[in-house]
Amino acid sequence: MLLLRCPLPLLLLLLPLRSRPQKLPTRDEELFQMQIRDKAFFHDSSVIPDGAEISSYLFRDTPKRYFFVVEEDNTPLAVTVTPCDAPLEWKLSVQELPEEASGEGSGDPEPLEQQKQQITSEDGTELFSYKGNDVEYFVSSSSPSGLYQLDLLSTEKDTHFKVYATTTPESDQPYPELPYDPRIDVTSLGRTTVTLAWKPSPTASLLRQPIQYCIVINKEHNFKSLCAVEAKLSSDDAFMMAPKPGLDFSPFDFAHFGFPADNNSGKERGFLKSSKFGRQTSPKPRVDLHRVCVGNKNIFTVSDLKPDTQYYFDMFAVNTNTNMSTAYVGTFARTKEEAKQKTVELKDGKVTDVFIKRKGAKFLRFAPVSSHQKVTFSIHSCLDAVQIQVRRDGKLLLSQSVEGVRQFQLRGKAKAKYLIRLKGSKKGASMLKILATTRPNKQSFPSLPEDTRIKAFDKLRTCSSVTVAWLGTQERNKFCIYKREVDDNYNEEQKKREQNQCLGPDTRKKSDKVLCKYFHSQNIQKAVTTETIRGLQPGKSYLLDVYVIGHGGHSVKYQSKLVKTRKFC
């Protein structure tokens, strides 16, 4: 990778430290903790603190450089760079410190600002370089003294990244350690569930540090870091917006990424005016990605998945003390297919009874033996509404909700085959009758008016009779009315449970029958008939039912009506 030259003097890029230098070799823990608490300490700083992970942001094709000083030879050093949502190019190099900058003459270390001024403008010695989106490490048990430079570049898009550097890698161990076998095992596979198992992190089992495991599920690909997951999850939130100047922050405030708080500084940074800034703030569609943390469990069943679908599973061990994570080796699996349901064959002109479980579905097939211009589907839903879909040779022709009796006429096609999918109600089981025919005059179910209620006239109510009315149609049909005495505490809920419209007069007692008559009217506005039911007992409740019977003998029941005779007359 091309070495990125610093566009400003090092004095302007690095934090001016007046009293103590920022150095890595001999970390003063008390001083370090003070620095972490003091947000102003790293304000707009290009200095990498020892033992703390920083989060920052890169604009595309705009390099960024970080510095730290190692003042003693043979110092352990570890640097970790975590790309979030785009590949990075990064390089670690070192320049020797001038001999007089070592601080040996006076016994006190010189401020970092003075050390920088003594560094030449020549390129340093390259120690390590990498290009990609993996979490990559530079580890050395014995590093030379010098000014270390970490150069980063994103050529693909604006992106986030994280950097961690330490001179005490053996004692720090902020990232959870992976087990000897870091793979995720799929132990069980179902149509809507996948059970995963993994070996515990030694950080939890041996070092007794607080570790929790977080599982990420998606349909696109595996993720190499939790940072990448967070970037994807928040792609339409402030997380993915370019940092705005004028905010109070430190590199440890994850949402602000180390940009200056000086209101004038934005004017000096040309990239803040570029189109990249505007593009980055535009919302992006939410991705189908889910994250669940399961504590210290080592086995977990993911549920509510879709059948016959490939999913990618990633596991991250998270140190809850440091909030830093390590990725296990991800895996993927395809859920099992839905059990193939038996398809019922429909015969032309014959009524078929269908029962569907709650939230279930049934498939039917209709293959006319002769050529046809039209095909008619008649549906009689006995209970709640059902959903019907009709496809002809794979093409969707119809998708409707059906309640009561409905008829659909579709254009035919030679040698066509029709697949009917019936989906039941969420409330309970569904029952229906269906008829498919290529003969337009074949009508098994009687036609119904839009309003199938029975109206009772309160003023015409007596101690021994009630008068009711109902609507008819232009088609001449046979209507039969039945009565049944019920208890006084009979209510609407009980009546609703008995609203199976497919149960015909043949299921009723002969004593329940009041009368049958034929009725129709060419003027639909006048298609109303009335009937007085006599011979009732005073102060009693009765349930009235009207059945309309079609030419094919199939009947449809109107909505039941609860009436009560007068007690005193």
Side-chain angles (χ1 to χ4, degrees), residues 503-516:
L503 295 178
D506 55 322
T507 63
R508 302 295 298 264
K509 296 178 181 179
K510 288 185 178 181
S511 58
D512 289 350
K513 185 177 177 180
V514 177
L515 60 86
C516 290

Side-chain angles (χ1 to χ4, degrees), residues 62-114:
T62 303
K64 203 168 217 180
R65 174 172 287 179
Y66 288 90
F67 299 88
F68 57 87
V69 170
V70 173
E71 294 186 347
E72 298 176 3
D73 288 331
N74 304 318
T75 298
L77 179 63
V79 178
T80 303
V81 176
T82 303
C84 290
D85 50 341
L88 294 181
E89 299 178 19
W90 63 274
K91 182 175 86 169
L92 182 67
S93 56
V94 62
Q95 293 188 47
E96 290 185 3
L97 290 171
E99 191 170 338
E100 59 272 18
S102 64
E104 295 176 357
S106 62
D108 293 322
E110 291 183 347
L112 181 58
E113 180 182 345
Q114 296 180 23

Side-chain angles (χ1 to χ4, degrees), residues 345-349 365-375 412-418 436-439:
E345 293 287 342
L346 296 179
K347 293 183 179 181
D348 197 332
R365 183 175 175 268
F366 180 52
V369 295
S370 59
S371 61
H372 56 284
Q373 292 183 339
K374 293 181 179 180
V375 61
K413 187 178 180 182
K415 299 181 180 180
K417 294 179 176 61
Y418 300 86
T437 182
T438 57
R439 292 169 284 177

Side-chain angles (χ1 to χ4, degrees), residues 258-276:
F259 282 81
D262 185 358
N263 292 330
N264 295 324
S265 60
K267 300 177 182 179
E268 299 172 3
R269 296 177 182 264
F271 53 76
L272 288 179
K273 301 178 181 179
S274 71
S275 60
K276 298 176 188 176

Side-chain angles (χ1 to χ4, degrees), residues 235-439:
S235 59
D236 56 355
D237 297 334
F239 182 96
M240 285 300 296
M241 293 183 183
K244 296 180 180 180
L247 298 176
D248 179 27
F249 63 90
S250 82
F252 310 106
D253 292 332
F254 191 68
H256 302 117
F257 311 106
F259 282 81
D262 185 358
N263 292 330
N264 295 324
S265 60
K267 300 177 182 179
E268 299 172 3
R269 296 177 182 264
F271 53 76
L272 288 179
K273 301 178 181 179
S274 71
S275 60
K276 298 176 188 176
F277 183 84
R279 181 183 69 247
Q280 205 63 28
T281 59
S282 61
K284 298 180 181 180
R286 177 71 70 177
V287 294
D288 187 9
L289 187 151
H290 302 279
R291 176 177 58 183
V292 56
C293 294
V294 299
N296 58 4
K297 295 179 181 178
N298 297 121
I299 186 169
F300 184 76
T301 298
V302 184
S303 57
D304 296 326
L305 303 176
K306 293 182 179 180
D308 193 26
T309 304
Q310 181 160 302
Y311 289 91
Y312 294 86
F313 302 95
D314 292 290
M315 172 65 60
F316 299 93
V318 182
N319 188 325
T320 57
N321 280 343
T322 64
N323 204 31
M324 296 165 78
S325 60
T326 305
Y328 278 64
V329 178
T331 189
F332 61 89
R334 178 174 288 274
T335 51
K336 292 183 178 180
E337 295 182 4
E338 281 276 21
K340 292 185 178 180
Q341 295 193 21
K342 182 180 178 181
T343 302
V344 178
E345 293 287 342
L346 296 179
K347 293 183 179 181
D348 197 332
K350 184 178 179 180
V351 176
T352 301
D353 294 310
V354 181
F355 176 81
I356 308 173
K357 294 180 180 179
R358 178 176 175 266
K359 294 184 179 181
K362 281 288 179 69
F363 292 89
L364 303 93
R365 183 175 175 268
F366 180 52
V369 295
S370 59
S371 61
H372 56 284
Q373 292 183 339
K374 293 181 179 180
V375 61
T376 303
F377 292 95
S378 299
I379 312 292
H380 181 192
S381 177
C382 306
L383 300 171
D384 294 315
V386 295
Q387 189 78 19
I388 179 174
Q389 284 187 346
V390 179
R391 295 179 183 272
R392 185 186 63 202
D393 299 331
K395 181 180 180 181
L396 182 65
L397 301 180
L398 172 70
S399 182
Q400 287 279 338
S401 179
V402 175
E403 192 169 5
V405 176
R406 290 287 300 275
Q407 181 175 290
F408 304 98
Q409 197 169 71
L410 306 175
R411 183 177 297 178
K413 187 178 180 182
K415 299 181 180 180
K417 294 179 176 61
Y418 300 86
L419 183 67
I420 302 99
R421 180 179 184 266
L422 299 169
K423 187 176 182 181
S425 168
K426 295 180 180 179
K427 299 178 182 178
S430 299
M431 296 172 59
L432 58 94
K433 295 177 180 287
I434 182 170
L435 177 141
T437 182
T438 57
R439 292 169 284 177

